[in-house]
Amino acid sequence: MRRYLAVVIVLILPLFGCGAPAGQLPPPAELFAAVQAQVELPEMVDTAETDLEALTGIGPDTYDGAVCYRLLEGTAPDEIIIVRGRDSAAAGAIQERLEKRLEEKREAGRLYLIEYQPMLQAGVVRRDGLTVSLIVSGQVEEISRVYENLQSHSAK
């Protein structure tokens, strides 16, 4: 009887939101590592500890994890920011700030980085549950496929 009850509980808990949600992306550092393993990116460095709040206004009290990868050298506007909000409200605020950051990058590009306009226009902010990402790269489509593959594998 106890074994039967344990099986029933294990099967019912996910219906009530207990456990990891289906299709949830891994934490930001792991997500970026997966992207980096599958997509050829330029050499980038994580500046989340020093630059994330200054660039976006996103403070550490609103997220559970974050990465902010920027080019190590050069003037190209490549930037990948991935933030896992503490809750849905925080994720919404993070999304607004990343959308503002993308618009600022596009405006700066119109004035100073004309040759990078296609990359800036292709840049996206995407929200996947509590994970919000800003992707400005020449490989936006390939990076998005990595996200989708990770979501489909975690849903199984």
Side-chain angles (χ1 to χ4, degrees):
M1 181 67 176
R2 285 185 181 173
R3 188 175 298 170
Y4 175 75
L5 184 59
V7 169
V8 169
I9 289 172
V10 167
L11 294 174
I12 291 176
L13 282 178
L15 298 176
F16 293 101
C18 300
Q24 182 172 308
L25 290 169
E30 291 176 30
L31 178 54
F32 183 82
V35 167
Q36 197 171 35
Q38 296 178 46
V39 178
E40 189 173 329
L41 297 173
E43 193 170 350
M44 302 177 91
V45 62
D46 185 5
T47 63
E49 287 187 23
T50 57
D51 294 346
L52 181 62
E53 191 165 9
L55 291 171
T56 64
I58 299 169
D61 57 325
T62 62
Y63 60 83
D64 287 332
V67 296
C68 177
Y69 278 89
R70 304 174 74 205
L71 283 185
L72 188 60
E73 296 179 355
T75 60
D78 294 67
E79 190 169 272
I80 299 174
I81 300 174
I82 307 168
V83 184
R84 166 94 36 98
R86 290 195 185 273
D87 55 37
S88 185
I94 290 165
Q95 182 177 2
E96 288 177 21
R97 297 210 183 246
L98 291 182
E99 287 170 350
K100 182 179 177 195
R101 172 71 180 156
L102 179 57
E103 191 50 45
E104 289 169 353
K105 286 183 76 68
R106 286 178 175 159
E107 185 60 30
R110 280 191 274 280
L111 300 172
Y112 307 110
L113 301 170
I114 296 167
E115 67 272 20
Y116 293 111
Q117 275 302 303
M119 180 191 299
L120 289 164
Q121 292 307 315
V124 297
V125 172
R126 61 178 288 157
R127 180 170 173 188
D128 302 280
L130 298 179
T131 301
V132 188
S133 305
L134 165 69
I135 305 168
V136 177
S137 171
Q139 296 88 3
V140 170
E141 289 181 25
E142 293 91 339
I143 293 168
S144 293
R145 276 195 290 276
V146 172
Y147 276 60
E148 290 154 15
N149 289 339
L150 288 170
Q151 284 178 316
S152 66
H153 288 308
S154 71
K156 293 180 181 177

